Each structure stands twice: as structure tokens, then as C-alpha cells.
Amino acid sequence: MNRRRLLGLMGALPFVPALRPETSLPIVESGTARAAVIAPPAAQAAADELVSYIERATGVRLPRTASPGLTPIHVGSPGPDPAVPGLIRGLDPDGFVIRLYRDTVTVVGPSATGTANGVREFLERYAGVRWLMPGPDGDDVPALATLRVPLVQVREQPAFAQHSLSPLRDARYPLQQQWAQRNRMQGVTTEPIAFHHNLHSLFPVERYGQTHPEYYPGGRPPAPGKLTGWQPAFSVPGTIDAAVTGILEYFAANPAARSFSLGVNDGEGFAEADPVPAYYAWVNEVVRRVLVHHPGKDFGLLAYRRLETPPAFPLHPHVVPFLTQDRYAWVDPAVQEAGHALTERWLAVCSRLGFYDYLYGAPYLLPRMFSRRYAETIRYAKAKGVVAHYAELYPNWGEGPKPWITAKLLWNADADVDRLHREWCERAVGTAAADDLSAYFGLWERFWAERVPGSAWFLPEATYQTFNLPQYLDLVEESDLTRSRALLDSVVSRTATPAQRARATIMRRAFEFYEASALSYPRPVDAPDGQAAALALLQHGVDTFQRRLDLAARRQALIKEFATDPVLVLQMNPGSYPNLTWTGWNPGEYWTLVDHLRVHEPVGGPVTDRARALAADHPYAALILRGVSAVSLVANPSFEAGLAPWELLDRSNGTRAISRPPGEAVLRVTGHGWGGPSQVIDIDPGLARLTAVHRTPSGTSASVQLALDLLEQNGTPIPNSSVRSPVIALDPSGTWTPLRLDCEIPSTARGKEVGRVRLIFLVDSATDVTVDFDDVTLRTMAKPPAGQGGYAGGPSVEVAASSTV
């Protein structure tokens, strides 16, 4: 089976090194143009880029018309060289040839993109240009007195015929898109295979909702305009006819389209208990019927979440699955072994396979460095014949070389990652500062390689790590931050040019955000083991309170500053996620002290007395005293009065169900899938603690998240606004085990005032389980107004910029 084929193209060719032959052709000598750039209309943009960067390097602008005595550089055409047409025949459209023939130079590819890539290779190889990060400060262009091209033929094409990074593949961020193109990444218009979420386009409710409700799960069409959380009923034969009709209409309207996406909608909402056989059989039949009319078209799809398991039968050769996994997790050898096994199972049933990955970047609150580990993943993919690679990068340019190294490896999977890392650091800040910059990124690469795997935050079996939860910050030590700041200060001081200093300053500004995030983050605290520990915890809270508020305010200010910075902009804005916003108050510390007073000093005592003494000058201490009288807001918390007002979350899936078993005052969750019990509660925004206990039988394999979905006062859900705990593996001991979520409920979310929450236990299990919950409490405490040591109502949550699969 030819696993390298994608649109009939081969993998990357060996890299041809720049040799030093005896002869070469002059381009610029002693401040004089010795060459002219000749290009047909289709290659004018590539030719302009070549002329522009040669002028930046040498100060000499090459003419655009041939003239006696000037070396012709043919951009985008073979020129007089008879060998070039044969050399570009069979190349990937993104590939190119650079060839000297007699006294001419040819830079050309099979497509306009290939020619542009050839120009960029020419500039990198012979003029030393590097595009390190977006914007004018991101270019590194050495000053040259002479530019000559040796008599060496270069013929290259990418390691993966499809290779792109989101969101740099489109024009939302023009400078960042330009950076990606100059580093040879594809864009929306040059990707050969469509594969994103798309089934909603074939089953618009406006077309089929009334006439064919059976096309939708349970015969219930989604609301008009709802594109997520549902799939067509693959086991209903009519959906095949409808899909074929829709695809034929698409190709009639878009005859130049090379592919069509059969990617499922985001979310789940399957009609079938096991969607794998139904979906992939459906895909095979749809593709077979469409190819009768449009032979040669291809069909990408997402092997995503419940569809990550391959079917037991082969897929049609024109189907290209993109297997979705956060392969950072392959830092764990067991996870890597399982990932390799799953990849090879897919390769056994499909002709072509793509990797879909999550390399973020934003919205992580630290430099998420793992380029050395990821180089192994890319080499593995190339060796196994994976033909496509797509990643959600959402770059955070405080991660320095990570995006650049990723782009280089996706072009040449065999490149030396250590050499690339060193080159980027030296070109970015100069040789004198490079060691300290390399040490800074090395510190964080070790953090993600050594501390994070095995932590409670790390999810070895998840499609992607929980980027919207910050518990990895629990692992940061203050010495990490101190060392990082010292290294970056040294980097800035050792730079030798304005451009180097500008790039170093960008990375130091990004670090200010990381540092403020880590230092203001509300870390969980253990209950004090006695009076002395409680007094120490109270004093620590008072002593650090204002500093944490100031740092939290600083991180929010930096998010807003970065939003208008073309380089530092956080394209997945941490401010859009409730769990990644905080004011500096620590709800866990606060409620731990309150509970100590409630349990150990119900009528007063030394800790209470100390809080009273501090309360006049410290609103933090005053609020602790107020919290002692806070009551739980949960109705029917122990299920003595039946089940109401508890109800099953309406977006639960699988066979998930809830009940109150006869004769037992507990809330029971049964079945498989995702979701669970919920209750809507009127709330005052502020500091919150949600607690419960759970019991599961021995052998149970399931997890739970405690969640508070944010609602307007009238009960309208505020989209994508949910405060959640980390995913918690349920304890299968059969004994009652505590659960807890400490959080801040913001006063506004996405411009809407928060007036209620929906309390939810989100149980997730692949098999049928039984989980009991009891003794649920939710207490809240409004913080003092601004100017009295707090921010009334908590942080606001801004609009997200995420396109996560």
C-alpha cells in the first residue's frame, strides 16, 4: 500500500547542501548589480520578494529586465535551461528547483507557491536571510558586500504534502500569515485536502429539519444555525443520499475544488451508541457514489475523539483521515507506545493518513516548550508514511524558536533540531546572548518533559490536554521564575544590534505575562493541621494579598496590551476562559481559613481573634470573618426530598442517566458516555466553594469534572463560559470520597451579567458505570468593592478566539 501518496505526490527529497565549487555566478559585487530578475506575471510577487531582500542585504536593487553583462535570474519559468521541465515534473506543488545553467539562474516550482518557496530557499541559502518571528523585527538579514551563487543544483519538496499551522493558514493575522508562508507553510487556498468540521453543511436544518427529521439524532433537528453538538444519523440510509446530493452540488458550484471534507461536526451528539462502524461505512458509501461523477476527488475527515478508533474494514483509497491527538503527551513513553500502536492500526485500514495536533502556544500561561520531543514525532510520522500534518499552533511568540523549528521540521523532518534551536537563538539575539536564551528555553523544556507528566493536570488518554485549566502552574517554583528573569535580563543586556534587542525585548515582555500569571495564580492549599498553621496561613494571606492583586491586574493589562501587538497577540486569549482569569484573590485559601474557623472555632478562638485584629486594615481578614456565616445555596443537597430540582444535563450523551434509588438518599449516575446531574442556582458572583462526596464500586473506570456553567439572571446560558475543576479520576474504593472546586465566579462573561450558575457533575466513562453523589454544598462570598482591596464581582471574561477541534 502506497502510504506516501497524497494527490499522487512523493515525500521530501534529500536536502542538497550548499557546496563550495570552484566557480559561481555573481549577483552583487562591490555595491554593483551583476544580475537581473526576470519573471512572468504569475511570479511577480515572488520576484519582488527576491529583489526586496537582496536590496536589504546588499543595498543594491537588482533590475527587472535583462541586460548585457547581467546574470539573468529566471523566477517562475525555466528560462533557457532544457533540464528544468524534467526536474520539476513529479515534484510536490510546493517543491522547487534552483539550478544554474551556463550563465543563468533558474528558481522555479510546479506552482506559484513552489516558486515562492524556491525564492525563500535562495534567500536563506545564499543571502543568509531568516524569518524568525512575524513583523519587521522578526527578519534577520545579514549585511553583504558580495552575493554569489555557487554552481550547485537544489531540488526540494516538503516532508509532508500537506503542512499547515492554525491560525496562520488564513488572513486573520496578516503578519503572522506572511511569516508562515515565508517559512513554507501552506494556507487555506493551498492545502490539498479539506477535512475540518463540515457535516453541518450537508444537513442544514432549514433544508431537512421538517421534511426529514429522522436525519438527526433521535429524530430531533437542532436549532437553526447550530453547527455543533450533533451529527447526522449515519445508520439512516437517506442520509447517504442527502450527503451525495450536497457534495455533487458543491462540486458543480466549485469545479476546481480538489477535495471535500466529511469531517464530523464539533462536539458529539451521535445517533449511534458506537459511531465508529456506522460513520466509516457511511463515509465509504458516500465517497463511492460521488466518485462515479467526480473521479479523482479526495475526502478528508477527522478521526476525532469517539472516532479515533479505526474501523474493522478498509477505508476507500480516496479517504484521508486526520488522526487528532495532542502528541506532546508522547513525552510519556507509555502514551507514545499507545500512540504509535493506534497510528499503525490506522495505517492498516487507510491508504493515506494525516496527523492533526495541538501545539499551543496560547492560551498556555508558560512557554510550552517541547520541540526536541516533537522532532521525534515528526520523524516517526515521516518514516511511517504519514502524508499530512496539521496543527493548532496559536503561537505565543514568547516561546521563541518553537514555531520556527516546527515549520522547519515539517519541511525537512530529518533536520537537526539542536542545530535549529541554536541557530534561532544566535540569529535572534546574537552569539553573545544566545547561551542565556537557550538556557531559558531549556529550563521550560525540562519543566514540560519532567514535571508535568504524571501530574494531576496531565491527561495521558485525552485528545488534547486541558489548555483551559491552569493547574500545571502548581508545579512552578519561584526559583524557576527568578532564574528565567535573570537569564532574559542578561539576554537583553548582551544584544549587539537594535534588531536583536527588539527581539529580546519581545521575549522578556512575554515573560512578564508568564511571571505575573504564575505568581498571582490562586494555588490550592491544604487544610492547616493546627492552630499555629492556621495563624501562619492567615498571616501569609494578608502579607501577600496586595501583591497578588497587583500581579493579577498586571496580567490582565498585558493581555489587553498584547491584543494590539502584531507579535505578542494571544490568538487564543486566556482572558476568554473563566478558569484562566483571576483577580489575585485565592478562593481555596479563603474557604480553607473560613472552614477552619467554622469547624475549630465556632464560638471564637486565637485565629478568629487575629482575624478581628487585622480586619480594620485588611479587607481580606474582614471577609474571612463574614464567610463563617455563609450558607449553602444548593437545594435538596442530600436527596432526602427525592430528586428535584436535580435534572440530567440536556447535552449529556450516550446512555448517561440519573436517579434517586428507592430507599437510599443519594443521587445515582448510571450508563456510559459524558454528562450528569445538574441544578440551576441563583448566585452572587465572587469567591465560591463547591463540595460533594462520591462513591463508586471497585473496578470502576470513570472521571468527573465539577462545573459551574455561567448563566444570565433569566437563565440564558452564556456561551463557552464554564468554571471547572480539573478532570478527576473517580476513586473506585467503594467508600465515600470528597470532591471540591474552589473558584471565582465572575460578575460578567462575554459582556453578559452573571446572575445564575448551573451546577453540574460531568461524569465521563467509556463503559457503563454507577456513581453515587451526596452532601452537595455551594457557598459564595461577594468580594469588597474596588478600592477596598478587591474587584467587585470578579474578573470579566472576554470573547474567545479558539477553533479547537
Side-chain angles (χ1 to χ4, degrees):
M1 193 183 312
N2 183 3
R3 305 195 195 287
R4 290 188 180 276
R5 188 174 66 85
L6 182 56
L7 304 178
L9 303 174
M10 295 176 61
L13 297 173
F15 179 80
V16 180
L19 305 177
R20 293 186 175 273
E22 294 297 322
T23 57
S24 59
L25 290 180
I27 307 301
V28 173
E29 281 190 326
S30 302
T32 301
R34 297 291 304 277
V37 177
I38 317 298
Q44 289 299 315
D48 289 346
E49 190 167 81
L50 180 65
V51 169
S52 174
Y53 275 93
I54 288 177
E55 183 176 18
R56 287 179 62 180
T58 66
V60 175
R61 188 166 187 84
L62 301 183
R64 298 296 300 274
T65 57
S67 181
L70 297 181
T71 299
I73 304 176
H74 294 279
V75 176
S77 72
D81 189 343
V84 168
L87 289 171
I88 64 174
R89 190 177 301 120
L91 267 181
D92 183 292
D94 285 1
F96 56 82
V97 170
I98 301 174
R99 180 175 157 85
L100 277 63
Y101 174 72
R102 295 181 178 171
D103 292 329
T104 67
V105 180
T106 297
V107 183
V108 66
S111 69
T113 302
T115 295
N117 287 338
V119 163
R120 288 145 190 166
E121 174 64 23
F122 184 101
L123 291 168
E124 287 188 295
R125 185 180 288 252
Y126 303 125
V129 176
R130 296 294 183 271
W131 294 281
L132 302 171
M133 56 176 60
D137 292 328
D139 294 359
D140 190 51
V141 183
L144 302 174
T146 297
L147 176 59
R148 300 180 69 89
V149 179
L151 295 171
V152 175
Q153 174 180 295
V154 180
R155 184 176 186 265
E156 285 190 24
Q157 62 184 4
F160 302 94
Q162 184 147 333
H163 48 282
S164 56
L165 302 170
S166 179
L168 311 187
R169 56 195 284 272
D170 60 47
R172 281 177 285 173
Y173 300 92
L175 284 178
Q176 310 226 12
Q177 181 190 43
Q178 183 184 65
W179 173 90
Q181 291 171 343
R182 286 175 170 167
N183 284 289
R184 308 182 204 174
M185 292 292 98
Q186 291 171 330
V188 171
T189 60
T190 56
E191 292 170 333
I193 295 289
F195 61 89
H196 288 281
H197 302 299
N198 193 45
L199 292 188
H200 54 78
S201 74
L202 295 176
F203 296 91
V205 69
E206 296 82 0
R207 181 170 185 174
Y208 294 117
Q210 290 189 355
T211 57
H212 291 285
E214 73 275 12
Y215 288 178
Y216 304 94
R220 295 186 297 273
K226 182 173 174 55
L227 308 183
T228 63
W230 63 272
Q231 314 297 338
F234 302 115
S235 53
V236 173
T239 60
I240 295 176
D241 299 326
V244 171
T245 297
I247 296 168
L248 293 179
E249 290 172 352
Y250 172 82
F251 282 133
N254 301 274
R258 295 175 287 176
S259 65
F260 187 88
S261 172
L262 292 174
V264 292
N265 301 329
D266 203 357
E268 296 202 5
F270 292 98
E272 297 80 14
D274 179 4
V276 168
Y279 170 66
Y280 289 114
W282 182 90
V283 164
N284 274 351
E285 182 60 16
V286 168
V287 169
R288 185 191 68 79
R289 293 193 196 180
V290 172
L291 289 176
V292 171
H293 303 276
H294 293 282
K297 302 292 188 182
D298 284 308
F299 301 83
L301 59 81
L302 292 160
Y304 175 54
R305 297 179 68 162
R306 292 183 67 192
L307 296 172
E308 288 175 10
T309 302
F313 47 83
L315 290 177
H316 193 286
H318 281 265
V319 173
V320 186
F322 281 70
L323 179 57
T324 62
Q325 286 191 319
D326 186 340
R327 294 175 182 84
Y328 154 70
W330 287 13
V331 68
D332 181 324
V335 179
Q336 176 180 269
E337 182 179 357
H340 285 187
L342 181 61
T343 300
E344 287 156 32
R345 287 171 61 198
W346 271 105
L347 289 168
V349 300
C350 66
S351 298
R352 292 170 285 169
L353 180 67
F355 271 9
Y356 190 118
D357 219 314
Y358 305 86
L359 300 182
Y360 317 121
Y364 281 92
L365 309 179
L366 296 173
R368 189 174 178 240
M369 307 300 295
F370 56 100
S371 294
R372 289 179 173 87
R373 167 61 261 177
Y374 203 68
E376 297 178 26
T377 296
I378 292 174
R379 284 193 293 270
Y380 166 80
K382 179 175 180 290
K384 289 296 179 180
V386 171
V387 296
H389 187 288
Y390 177 94
E392 293 190 44
L393 176 65
Y394 288 86
N396 180 337
W397 296 96
E399 294 177 329
K402 177 179 155 182
W404 186 81
I405 289 174
T406 300
K408 292 297 182 186
L409 291 170
L410 291 178
W411 183 269
N412 175 14
D414 299 319
D416 184 332
V417 68
D418 290 315
R419 183 190 65 77
L420 290 173
H421 177 89
R422 181 68 191 180
E423 178 184 356
W424 193 94
C425 290
E426 289 185 350
R427 298 298 297 269
V429 298
T431 55
D435 284 344
D436 285 343
L437 187 60
S438 180
Y440 167 72
F441 290 121
L443 183 156
W444 293 108
E445 187 142 4
R446 289 190 299 276
F447 174 88
W448 289 99
E450 297 170 7
R451 291 190 218 168
V452 175
S455 70
W457 176 86
F458 183 76
L459 300 178
E461 297 180 0
T463 298
Y464 47 83
Q465 300 298 307
T466 48
F467 56 83
N468 60 337
L469 295 176
Q471 280 72 24
Y472 52 85
L473 291 178
D474 291 334
L475 309 173
V476 177
E477 298 172 2
E478 192 150 351
S479 60
D480 299 326
L481 304 173
T482 302
R483 175 64 174 156
S484 292
R485 175 164 283 282
L487 287 168
L488 288 178
D489 286 347
S490 174
V491 167
V492 172
S493 69
R494 291 171 180 265
T495 54
T497 69
Q500 291 171 0
R501 191 163 299 110
R503 290 189 286 265
T505 300
I506 285 171
M507 286 177 280
R508 188 171 64 176
R509 283 195 73 213
F511 173 73
E512 288 180 28
F513 174 69
Y514 304 144
E515 182 180 49
S517 296
L519 292 176
S520 64
Y521 165 65
R523 294 188 178 217
V525 297
D526 295 327
D529 59 3
Q531 183 185 100
L535 286 167
L537 183 60
L538 172 63
Q539 193 65 47
H540 174 267
V542 167
D543 291 345
T544 61
F545 178 70
Q546 192 59 50
R547 178 176 183 243
R548 289 184 292 187
L549 260 62
D550 292 344
L551 286 166
R554 177 59 179 155
R555 74 183 292 270
Q556 292 297 327
L558 286 169
I559 289 173
K560 292 180 180 178
E561 289 176 27
F562 291 175
T564 58
D565 188 303
V567 179
L568 289 170
V569 57
L570 298 169
Q571 295 163 342
M572 285 178 69
N573 180 1
S576 67
Y577 299 98
N579 290 292
L580 301 184
T581 58
W582 50 80
T583 60
W585 286 81
N586 187 327
E589 179 185 83
Y590 171 81
W591 287 110
T592 296
L593 281 165
V594 168
D595 284 351
H596 179 86
L597 298 187
R598 289 165 60 95
V599 174
H600 298 286
E601 299 186 9
V603 294
V607 182
T608 304
D609 292 342
R610 181 59 180 159
R612 286 173 178 158
L614 292 167
D617 297 319
H618 295 278
Y620 177 76
L623 204 67
I624 289 171
L625 295 172
R626 286 181 53 200
V628 173
S629 60
V631 297
S632 176
L633 304 176
V634 177
N636 192 16
S638 299
F639 313 101
E640 303 291 343
L643 191 60
W646 294 93
E647 60 185 353
L648 181 68
L649 180 68
D650 61 2
R651 61 184 188 271
S652 300
N653 57 51
T655 60
R656 182 66 68 233
I658 67 169
S659 64
R660 179 187 182 276
E664 195 168 2
V666 299
L667 191 161
R668 179 158 292 170
V669 178
T670 55
H672 65 264
W674 177 91
S678 71
Q679 178 182 147
V680 173
I681 300 172
D682 287 331
I683 204 84
D684 286 327
L687 309 176
R689 169 167 279 186
L690 166 60
T691 65
V693 293
H694 80 278
R695 177 180 64 187
T696 59
S698 176
T700 300
S701 178
S703 65
V704 68
Q705 270 189 301
L706 282 63
L708 298 172
D709 284 3
L710 307 184
L711 315 177
E712 297 181 60
Q713 184 59 57
N714 63 7
T716 302
I718 301 175
N720 301 313
S721 296
S722 182
V723 180
R724 298 189 181 185
S725 73
V727 175
I728 304 163
L730 291 175
D731 177 11
S733 65
T735 60
W736 289 105
T737 305
L739 296 167
R740 189 179 78 198
L741 168 61
D742 292 320
C743 62
E744 250 185 278
I745 299 174
S747 58
T748 63
R750 291 172 177 78
K752 305 291 185 181
E753 290 190 10
V754 177
R756 296 180 176 183
V757 296
R758 180 176 287 278
L759 188 164
I760 317 169
F761 296 103
L762 298 169
V763 178
D764 193 4
S765 66
T767 59
D768 287 344
V769 297
T770 298
V771 183
D772 292 336
F773 294 97
D774 202 356
D775 297 336
V776 187
T777 70
L778 174 63
R779 288 182 288 154
T780 67
M781 178 56 60
K783 304 191 305 300
Q788 298 182 30
Y791 297 92
S796 63
V797 180
E798 300 172 5
V799 177
S802 168
S803 66
T804 305
V805 164

